[in-house]
Amino acid sequence: MSDLSKPLYSLTVGEYIDLSKQVFSNEAEKLINNYHKNPAHNNSVSDIIFIDEVKEITGYKESTIYSKVCRFEMPVISKRRPLTFSRKDIVNWLKDGKPSVIDKEANDYLRRT
């Protein structure tokens, strides 16, 4: 497709498919080049995790995690389904000896007042 002044509505189906492939290829190449130029994004791990990853980190069963969340014993971002956790909060919770979340929040509140 060498005629760039040709209006889009006058393209044949084959010309349109070729043009779409070319545009897609160019955009994909840009994304790949940006990905390789910026290695900081290559190893980034999302802080938002779900119950399967929490099971791997803690070694708890799914039912145990649900009960700990209901009793405010485990930090959670969202109690709706699917449960949403912060990887950083879970790791810190394990490092701190698994303190009750409600006790920590109460202590934080009392310190602020």
Side-chain angles (χ1 to χ4, degrees):
M1 167 134 187
S2 60
D3 186 16
L4 296 177
S5 62
K6 192 173 184 180
L8 188 60
Y9 64 83
S10 67
L11 296 178
T12 65
V13 173
E15 289 173 331
Y16 179 77
I17 290 172
D18 290 340
L19 180 64
S20 296
K21 286 180 182 178
Q22 183 181 3
V23 169
F24 179 78
S25 176
N26 291 342
E27 291 301 314
E29 188 175 330
K30 285 180 193 176
L31 288 172
I32 290 169
N33 288 337
N34 286 339
Y35 182 79
H36 290 301
K37 286 180 185 177
N38 194 354
H41 295 297
N42 296 350
N43 296 328
S44 66
V45 176
S46 175
D47 187 49
I48 303 298
I49 58 175
F50 300 99
I51 197 158
D52 291 334
E53 292 178 70
V54 174
K55 286 178 4 185
E56 290 177 16
I57 293 170
T58 62
Y60 290 147
K61 294 179 184 178
E62 191 170 320
S63 59
T64 304
I65 293 170
Y66 277 108
S67 66
K68 287 191 174 294
V69 166
C70 288
R71 293 186 306 225
F72 298 97
E73 294 177 2
M74 178 180 271
V76 65
I77 293 175
S78 171
K79 289 186 178 184
R80 297 179 186 251
R81 295 196 192 243
L83 288 177
T84 309
F85 300 88
S86 165
R87 179 185 310 275
K88 183 180 72 174
D89 288 348
I90 294 295
V91 169
N92 289 338
W93 177 73
L94 290 171
K95 284 181 182 177
D96 293 341
K98 304 176 195 171
S100 174
V101 175
I102 199 150
D103 291 340
K104 183 179 183 280
E105 289 178 3
N107 289 335
D108 290 344
Y109 176 78
L110 290 174
R111 285 186 194 130
R112 282 187 259 145
T113 58

